Amino acid sequence: MSRTIDIDAYAEGVLAGHRPTLARAITLVESRRADHAELAQQLLVRLLPHSGKAHRVGVTGVPGVGKSTFIDSLGSLLTGRGHRVAVLAVDPSSVRTGGSILGDKTRMARLSADPNAFVRPSPSAGTLGGVARATRETMVLMEAAGFDVVLVETVGVGQSEVTVAEMVDCFLFLTLARTGDQLQGIKKGVLELVDVVAVNKADGPHQQEARRAARELSRALHLLQPASPSWTPPVLTCSGLEGTGLDEVWEQVLAHRAALEETGELAELRSRQQVDWMWAQVRDRLLESLRTAPRVRELAPRLEEQVRSGAITATLAADRLLSAFTEASRDG
Amino acid sequence: MSRTIDIDAYAEGVLAGHRPTLARAITLVESRRADHAELAQQLLVRLLPHSGKAHRVGVTGVPGVGKSTFIDSLGSLLTGRGHRVAVLAVDPSSVRTGGSILGDKTRMARLSADPNAFVRPSPSAGTLGGVARATRETMVLMEAAGFDVVLVETVGVGQSEVTVAEMVDCFLFLTLARTGDQLQGIKKGVLELVDVVAVNKADGPHQQEARRAARELSRALHLLQPASPSWTPPVLTCSGLEGTGLDEVWEQVLAHRAALEETGELAELRSRQQVDWMWAQVRDRLLESLRTAPRVRELAPRLEEQVRSGAITATLAADRLLSAFTEASRDG
């Protein structure tokens, strides 16, 4: 991107669904250069009115659950029905390692070759907050380019699932039945985010144990208060490999959307997500500037040690850190 | 507290277990006057080396689950065995209404009259963060005064359960079996905090359905990854009213502690809680100063509206809020 960036041309190209321009626009949004960031915001403000028409669906599950195969199959099913499908990812491990869950496009062989699909790997650098921002803004570009289904993949690590749940309409959780009647241990907290659950790899000899696992999980979910009064998460079985049960999963995604639309919850959810995200960015950046302030960095390890050993109270230590930060801001 | 406060006398009185001095020291810790806050910190630094010897147990459950009766019975059982029991509370509804879940001491009639117990209502004003600070620091005073069991009560509202879970060694969740084989809907997120679960009011004709509910809940908990590799939360039944099953509940609290002590997790948990709490206070106060900055308050509603309507991006709105705050800090 050494050439001058023509925002008008970018906007027109994206709206026309021109793939090379879309790819360049995404690279602009992912860039961490300050001048790019400003241009990206100009482009996004231009495209915002043309966004918002897609089904935004998050897909999570631990490594090995078969997410890529599931998305490859589901995405192909949907393009076969005339949908245009974008696949994005939020992958915190790529943040650390520079690798990416979607870096290897051969993992979604069919979809990667599908002219009605667009598979984009997770931005491979930056904080989770930065990756989340790029992914959300890429979603705007995708929708403006006419993609009407956006699948956001994530792995069950740290905060990434909450981050994805906060940017989609429907959060789909894939899990496995294990041999010996045991469900794969479900990460705590994930059950409170899910809208649809599918026990994957329900194929061949595993069908029965998958159905048993689905029943058990369904009972467990009924013990929890539902997130929305108009929706209780259903638990299905499917096989990404054989393509079975995907129809039923998608039907439930649509039923969930219909339930939220009927009550007005969908519009409210989306605008609340935007406002929450504004505040999340404010908080993240403020706390980032706290963490990285030289005086705070110098002081923090010593104070942590003193708090650990009980030499001072946590309140007193907090006072000192805040004073150091406030003074640093004044001088800065 | 118009007299001059003699910190030496306070410290000596608390260490001697002198109840009127302890009560005054708690009032000092709860005070929001700046001069009191400074004195309170001096007192706490003095007493910290004498704290940390109690079993710190959180107790939660929705209103109507029978928490007061349960605590009254369990606390009396423990004082009967020679323990000295302090009961504190974190009640976010008292923050809003000025009322308190423990304001009415008659709710714990036996324990309130017990010379080996100390029942203290939730501080009745301030933010949840402020109430949490006062409760944690009151715990230091209680332990320095020789109480070896601290029960921290909370209600299942908002963030209060997380707040309490972060200040105790063991988090006990009380629930009910409902008629019609249904468990009371469990607030999402609470299952990931619990160390011990008890289905209360397992008395008279309700014993059988309580046991059924306990089995169902136990199955649900087994689907989740345990918080500690050395502990899976057990599910028991009890009756606070009849005093049955309390022995078994306390045994599990002790077993949980033994498991964490054996692996060194308890010491690590406690020092991590202190360091986390230091950072939580830094964050809370920094964000509080953001929220209350006049320029931010002026700007925020307009920006929220623009983000809601899609007129600007959340990222751009966050930029503007942060600039407003930073300028305000510089000028301040």
Side-chain angles (χ1 to χ4, degrees), chain B residues 228-248:
Chain B
S228 154
S230 42
W231 185 256
T232 302
V235 185
L236 308 162
T237 60
C238 69
S239 166
L241 194 66
E242 297 189 345
T244 50
L246 301 179
D247 246 327
E248 288 76 9

Side-chain angles (χ1 to χ4, degrees), chain A residues 234-312:
Chain A
V235 184
L236 308 163
T237 60
C238 68
S239 166
L241 193 66
E242 298 189 344
T244 51
L246 301 179
D247 245 327
E248 289 75 9
V249 170
W250 188 249
E251 258 169 40
Q252 289 300 323
V253 170
L254 295 181
H256 172 255
R257 187 191 173 93
L260 295 194
E261 270 180 340
E262 200 178 328
T263 56
E265 283 169 88
L266 185 65
E268 176 50 32
L269 172 72
R270 285 187 167 190
S271 62
R272 195 177 61 234
Q273 282 178 340
Q274 291 302 314
V275 171
D276 287 352
W277 181 38
M278 172 188 83
W279 284 109
Q281 288 191 79
V282 170
R283 277 196 303 274
D284 286 355
R285 286 200 252 159
L286 189 57
L287 295 175
E288 180 66 16
S289 64
L290 171 81
R291 266 191 303 272
T292 55
R295 289 195 203 180
V296 172
R297 290 173 71 115
E298 192 190 311
L299 209 54
R302 202 164 61 236
L303 288 172
E304 284 191 3
E305 194 38 52
Q306 291 178 327
V307 167
R308 239 170 217 284
S309 69
I312 60 170

Side-chain angles (χ1 to χ4, degrees), chain B residues 136-154:
Chain B
R136 280 175 183 267
E137 295 181 343
T138 298
M139 201 188 287
V140 171
L141 301 177
M142 292 296 198
E143 291 182 342
F147 290 91
D148 64 342
V149 173
V150 180
L151 305 176
V152 186
E153 181 184 1
T154 190

